[in-house]
Amino acid sequence: MSYSFKKTGTFITITAVAFSILTLTSTFSQAKSTYKTASVEQFREVQPNKTVHIFSKPSANSKKYVKLPKNSGVVVTGQTKNGFSKIRYQFQYAYVKTSALKKVSAKTGTHYARDISKKYRYDVPMNAGSIYARTFTASFLKTYKPSPAVTNFWFYKSSPTQFGITEYDTSKGLYTGDIEDGYLSLSIKYPIKKNLIWSGELGQKTKITQTKATVKTKAGTFKNVVVTQNGKMTYYYAPNKGLIQTKDRGKTFIQLTK
């Protein structure tokens, strides 16, 4: 990923998507004893070694929104008769050539996505003393009624603004992305191996720097943590827990507290 937060002055603000709490209608997954991640039924990986664009209409002659980077994926919501897939793009829909996409299988065994039956609580230390909330909760929502295109995402209930993140744990790797981007990037590549390098978020080099790290947060001590480096950001993923911490230039950016 991959989690794209922004800085305002000296403060961290989790912005870009202004979800209205008052209009948010959602379906929460019920807590289960088994670990559960988002279904990959609608997720598609971009075919390797192909130039793939997102179009405004199901036509190669329509407006091109963006060129998809390597190791990215999209959420497909339907098919057209002329060879295009309808995808979720930001808060609406767009199109990609179906031939440029491929189905994926879900990861089995240990997961590095978050458990959708749980709620996570995070701390943003650099927001202390600012107008932005220092803590926020992340809950998995099935639907966002004001925008039917937005489904199966993590809602970051922060103040004064909110944010949305999608995660799909596939046999190839963990894909994550911001709702407003319209596509997901490969945050962890499987099988996990120290010093493994690939093209991740924004086309930047991503590297697994540790595979068995022990990390302490306010939520406790986590073992066998996978650590990835993407640009100046460092991400910490605990097995069967998901994202527990991120650092920016070595300083704690967000940290799991519960």
Side-chain angles (χ1 to χ4, degrees):
M1 177 188 146
S2 317
Y3 296 84
S4 186
F5 298 91
K6 297 183 179 180
K7 288 186 177 180
T8 302
T10 58
F11 304 117
I12 304 297
T13 172
I14 306 168
T15 61
V17 180
F19 287 127
S20 170
I21 296 177
L22 293 177
T23 60
L24 183 65
T25 302
S26 61
T27 302
F28 286 81
S29 296
Q30 297 299 314
K32 296 181 179 180
S33 58
T34 56
Y35 196 88
K36 187 176 181 182
T37 61
S39 170
V40 300
E41 182 179 354
Q42 291 184 308
F43 182 74
R44 298 290 185 275
E45 293 176 345
V46 172
Q47 292 275 16
N49 304 319
K50 283 194 176 184
T51 299
V52 183
H53 289 92
I54 293 179
F55 296 93
S56 60
K57 297 179 180 180
S59 168
N61 295 321
S62 64
K63 180 180 178 181
K64 295 178 181 178
Y65 284 141
V66 66
K67 176 183 175 182
L68 289 172
K70 186 177 181 180
N71 293 325
S72 59
V74 294
V75 180
V76 172
T77 63
Q79 306 290 332
T80 69
K81 294 181 180 180
N82 63 335
F84 279 82
S85 290
K86 186 178 182 181
I87 68 166
R88 187 211 76 215
Y89 183 68
Q90 299 179 352
F91 289 93
Q92 52 188 345
Y93 299 101
Y95 300 86
V96 171
K97 290 183 178 180
T98 302
S99 61
L101 307 175
K102 64 177 182 177
K103 293 183 178 181
V104 301
S105 57
K107 187 181 189 304
T108 57
T110 303
H111 290 282
Y112 293 92
R114 287 170 288 193
D115 185 343
I116 65 175
S117 69
K118 308 290 185 182
K119 287 186 179 182
Y120 291 68
R121 188 167 184 81
Y122 293 98
D123 176 48
V124 187
M126 293 181 69
N127 277 357
S130 75
I131 64 170
Y132 301 104
R134 175 162 176 169
T135 61
F136 68 92
T137 57
S139 302
F140 186 79
L141 306 186
K142 295 290 291 183
T143 58
Y144 180 54
K145 188 174 181 179
S147 181
V150 182
T151 59
N152 299 321
F153 70 102
W154 285 92
F155 174 60
Y156 287 14
K157 188 177 180 181
S158 183
S159 176
T161 53
Q162 287 78 49
F163 201 68
I165 293 290
T166 46
E167 291 184 336
Y168 289 96
D169 211 4
T170 75
S171 59
K172 179 179 178 179
L174 173 65
Y175 285 86
T176 63
D178 304 338
I179 289 296
E180 79 275 12
D181 287 343
Y183 65 89
L184 296 84
S185 300
L186 188 58
S187 295
I188 303 179
K189 187 174 182 179
Y190 301 142
I192 290 172
K193 183 180 179 180
K194 186 176 181 180
N195 296 324
L196 182 65
I197 298 174
W198 67 94
S199 178
E201 183 186 16
L202 302 176
Q204 293 187 124
K205 181 180 75 173
T206 303
K207 179 179 180 180
I208 295 178
T209 58
Q210 296 184 67
T211 60
K212 296 182 179 180
T214 297
V215 179
K216 292 183 179 181
T217 76
K218 293 180 179 179
T221 300
F222 301 87
K223 296 183 177 181
N224 299 317
V225 173
V226 173
V227 183
T228 67
Q229 188 75 35
N230 180 277
K232 297 177 181 179
M233 298 297 296
T234 307
Y235 301 91
Y236 300 79
Y237 299 90
N240 294 329
K241 292 289 187 299
L243 182 72
I244 59 169
Q245 183 173 251
T246 69
K247 288 187 176 182
D248 181 2
R249 299 174 179 84
K251 294 184 178 180
T252 300
F253 197 63
I254 65 171
Q255 184 181 91
L256 184 69
T257 62
K258 186 177 180 181

